[in-house]
Amino acid sequence: MGTVFSFDIRAPGVSAHALQGVVDWLHRMDAMFSTYRPDSEISLLDRGGLELGECSPEVHEVLELCEQASRDSGGYFTARLPGGLDPSGMVKGWAVERASTMLQAAGSTAHAVNGGGDIQLLGKPQDGRPWTIGIADPFRRTALATTVAGTDMAVATSSTAERGQHIIDPISGRPATALASITVTGRHLTTVDAYATAALAMGDKAKSWISGLSGVEAFAITATGERWQTPNFPTAGNPGN
């Protein structure tokens, strides 16, 4: 998936065998969905080397989720890019959330699973304290723009800081330039990660769109450095559930 995954698992924890099972599953999903591997199912499907009916159930699930995110966002999220089929904007959040679910099934009651800065949180790291997640400032590499606090939630950021203007507005076909960074929170990383991608593509339309979604909040920094956030964005002074 082109990024690093990390696990912060608090007591009672899980067995090494269970954690290895999660890591092995993530490697299988990377092999299945990688657009950089010519033998991955997604690459073969894109080239016509596989029919959709021949693909694994996970491929069907992710592509259906991509279609749903496209409908939710009015087409600003898409897996059908000019270069071909690329569901990467969905896969990472989906895989992180699935890994979290697998850890919970193995007995974990408090953990943070982080895939390249997109995070699924479960429980509390300590009694009476929420998880706190720093959100990088896209204009100052060593500074934080804000801090998210909460439990049983997901946090996803889409930004131009690391990869430049890599998000294309699928409506106009041009790079999205209005926002430098947007962080979206909600219950499920599968959803909020895709929404963060769509919101960055939307630019100035993102605030009104996010405000109309139930259980979803956002914090954004524009290309000119201005900041806005939705009323219930879970900052450290306004923690989430």
Side-chain angles (χ1 to χ4, degrees):
M1 301 176 200
T3 192
V4 174
F5 279 65
S6 64
F7 306 87
D8 183 347
I9 304 173
R10 304 302 174 100
V14 298
S15 69
H17 176 76
L19 180 57
Q20 187 61 54
V22 174
V23 172
D24 290 345
W25 181 84
L26 287 169
H27 281 295
R28 288 198 300 274
M29 294 306 102
D30 183 56
M32 183 179 296
F33 287 101
S34 175
T35 58
Y36 303 103
R37 301 186 186 196
D39 60 342
S40 71
E41 285 194 29
I42 211 69
S43 293
L44 290 169
L45 178 63
D46 187 37
R47 296 199 310 270
L50 274 180
E51 298 292 333
L52 184 57
E54 300 174 294
C55 291
S56 300
E58 292 89 349
V59 172
H60 287 263
E61 180 180 350
V62 166
L63 292 181
E64 288 173 3
L65 288 167
C66 287
E67 292 297 326
Q68 182 61 56
S70 180
R71 290 191 293 270
D72 291 347
S73 64
Y76 278 97
F77 181 93
T78 181
R80 306 284 177 178
L81 303 175
L85 179 63
D86 185 356
S88 301
M90 177 64 68
V91 170
K92 185 174 64 169
W94 168 82
V96 171
E97 184 176 354
R98 181 70 65 86
S100 172
T101 299
M102 294 169 71
L103 290 173
Q104 186 175 13
S108 175
T109 59
H111 62 247
V113 182
N114 185 333
D118 297 327
I119 305 170
Q120 185 73 53
L121 303 170
L122 178 71
K124 297 179 180 180
Q126 298 178 17
D127 287 345
R129 291 185 57 189
W131 295 95
T132 55
I133 309 297
I135 306 302
D137 189 317
F139 298 111
R140 297 182 297 162
R141 290 291 183 90
T142 60
L144 295 181
T146 190
T147 302
V148 177
T151 62
D152 298 321
M153 65 184 294
V155 183
T157 298
S158 190
S159 172
T160 62
E162 297 294 330
R163 297 171 58 192
Q165 294 172 351
H166 65 289
I167 299 294
I168 301 297
D169 174 353
I171 307 301
S172 69
R174 295 189 295 270
T177 60
L179 295 179
S181 174
I182 185 162
T183 296
V184 180
T185 65
R187 182 64 187 88
H188 300 285
L189 191 59
T190 300
T191 303
V192 300
D193 192 19
Y195 284 1
T197 300
L200 194 73
M202 283 182 194
D204 295 336
K205 300 176 184 177
K207 186 175 183 180
S208 60
W209 176 61
I210 292 288
S211 297
L213 298 173
S214 177
V216 179
E217 303 293 335
F219 167 87
I221 302 176
T222 71
T224 57
E226 297 173 351
R227 302 181 179 203
W228 58 258
Q229 67 186 53
T230 54
N232 295 314
F233 184 77
T235 60
N238 180 31
N241 294 331

